[in-house]
């Protein structure tokens, strides 16, 4: 079920946690998790989104090629992992970080220690963000394995 540009609707998602309202204009939100792809031919997804599921970071990883795609903004491929294909059952460390500057959020994506450029976005109000993982759903099969979950909101100013 590997489509050219992945869409969030094609994934079976598992919510892992939610932040409190992020009201500090200089907050840093960090979501770290190790995911374990079950098959080399099935994309996995990692994300942290607002309640509307329209703002935040969502990346899909295709283990067979190491392709990393932006799912939230429809941006398509943002890069490739240098060490691919990924072996099924082997943990892949993922680190998604949002740096808030007023109503603007600057994003950082790190997969297997490699950094990928990700679009910044703007969001008003006190956002609650939900962290999740998932994999392409072909039927009601097994859930994606994950470990080492960490979801933090730091209310201290961050350096620019």
């Amino acid at each position: 079920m590997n489509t050219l540009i992945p869409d969030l609707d094609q994934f079976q998602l598992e919510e892992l946690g939610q932040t409190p309202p992020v009201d500090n204009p200089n907050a840093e939100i960090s979501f770290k998790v190790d995911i374990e792809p079950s098959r080399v031919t099935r994309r996995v997804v990692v994300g942290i989104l607002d309640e509307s599921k329209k703002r935040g970071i969502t990346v899909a990883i295709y283990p067979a090629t190491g392709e990393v795609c932006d799912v939230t903004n429809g941006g398509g491929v943002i890069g490739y992992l240098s060490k691919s294909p990924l072996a099924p059952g082997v943990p892949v460390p993922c680190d998604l970080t949002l740096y808030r500057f007023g109503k603007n959020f600057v994003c950082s994506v790190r997969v297997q220690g490699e950094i990928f450029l990700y679009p910044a976005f703007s969001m008003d109000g006190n956002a609650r963000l939900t962290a999740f993982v998932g994999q392409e759903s072909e039927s009601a099969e097994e859930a994606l394995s994950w470990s080492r979950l960490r979801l933090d909101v730091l209310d201290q100013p961050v350096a620019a």
Side-chain angles (χ1 to χ4, degrees), residues 122-135:
S122 208
M123 185 167 46
D124 290 323
N126 300 332
R128 292 179 69 99
L129 301 169
T130 301
F132 59 90
V133 296
Q135 63 187 345

Side-chain angles (χ1 to χ4, degrees), residues 22 50 55 100 102-105 121-127:
V22 181
D50 71 345
R55 302 237 190 303
R100 183 171 183 177
K103 66 179 187 173
N104 298 312
F105 289 77
F121 63 92
S122 208
M123 185 167 46
D124 290 323
N126 300 332

Side-chain angles (χ1 to χ4, degrees), residues 57-135:
I57 300 174
T58 308
V59 292
I61 303 161
Y62 188 48
T65 62
E67 173 187 271
V68 179
C69 290
D70 162 25
V71 177
T72 304
N73 302 294
V77 178
I78 59 173
Y80 289 87
L81 294 169
S82 61
K83 295 178 183 171
S84 60
L86 303 177
V90 175
V92 177
C94 301
D95 182 357
L96 310 178
T97 307
L98 300 165
Y99 302 97
R100 183 171 183 177
F101 297 97
K103 66 179 187 173
N104 298 312
F105 289 77
V106 176
C107 306
S108 171
V109 173
R110 185 183 301 243
V111 178
Q112 269 192 336
E114 297 182 49
I115 299 173
F116 297 91
L117 296 176
Y118 197 88
F121 63 92
S122 208
M123 185 167 46
D124 290 323
N126 300 332
R128 292 179 69 99
L129 301 169
T130 301
F132 59 90
V133 296
Q135 63 187 345

